[in-house]
Amino acid sequence: MVARRSYGSYNDGCASAHALDLIGERWALIVVRELLLGPKRFLDLQHDIPGIGPAVLTQRLQDLEETGIVVRNQLPAPARVMVYDLTEWGRGLEAVNTALSLWAVQSPRLPFEADMGPDTLVLAMRAHARRLPEGTPESSVALKLSDSRDCGREPVEYLATMTTTGSTVTKTTVVGAVDAVVNSTTRAWKAVIIGGASLESEDDIVVIGNQDAVQILVDATKL
């Protein structure tokens, strides 16, 4: 079933036109983006997508469920809460998000000063992640990002691993040993990863452990 669209289907045999039938409605791909790193509750999605109303979010989630992109699951005890997650097919849209990011970063009208949520910032890092040059030591960094739009929320934790075969950042609670731990606001971390600022210039970035490992992370994921 094709999702309901406010302006109808393109009714075009082209696969890219069909893709826009599925995810071309306003907010649809933003909702998908917020689920790329893992499931979220409705209230989390509403918080992480500023400007979207509950009625519109409900409709987009329903549309994405009907097309097989999103699925609802109930977390086991003790949580017992309903969350939205991407299906395996839906997770393939990270490649689309990455391609759009790589393309749009060249826009002269990109709003560099606008805030970003933790997951959105990490997805930008993933989109630009590069493998380390031969001879560079492999490193791992625990990254803890506090949302500058709401500093009262708990920091979101990620694990970054950088090797000569590839670099990646995953959303997870870090329990093992790492080379360094970074605590930062999203605004300060964005200034480094996207704005080109130095780690030393940002007072809201605190590094515990190997500073060189953190610089390797920056070099491997910055725009």
Side-chain angles (χ1 to χ4, degrees), residues 37-113:
L37 296 182
K40 292 184 178 181
R41 301 175 303 167
F42 185 93
L43 289 177
D44 293 329
L45 286 168
Q46 195 172 4
H47 176 275
D48 292 337
I49 308 175
I52 194 170
V56 174
L57 178 56
T58 297
Q59 184 63 63
R60 293 297 165 269
L61 288 167
Q62 182 179 329
D63 293 344
L64 291 166
E65 279 189 85
E66 289 180 356
T67 54
I69 295 170
V70 164
V71 64
R72 275 182 290 179
N73 293 314
Q74 183 168 334
L75 295 181
R80 296 190 184 280
V81 296
M82 190 68 68
V83 295
Y84 293 88
D85 199 0
L86 294 176
T87 62
E88 183 177 356
W89 184 48
R91 283 190 288 274
L93 285 167
E94 182 169 358
V96 176
N97 185 74
T98 295
L100 286 172
S101 177
L102 293 172
W103 174 73
V105 75
Q106 302 173 57
S107 169
R109 299 176 64 182
L110 182 68
F112 279 104
E113 300 305 315

Side-chain angles (χ1 to χ4, degrees), residues 47-50 115-118 147-151 153 186-187:
H47 176 275
D48 292 337
I49 308 175
D115 282 332
M116 299 170 70
D147 194 333
S148 296
R149 304 168 303 177
D150 183 0
C151 292
R153 298 185 84 192
T186 50
R187 187 173 295 128

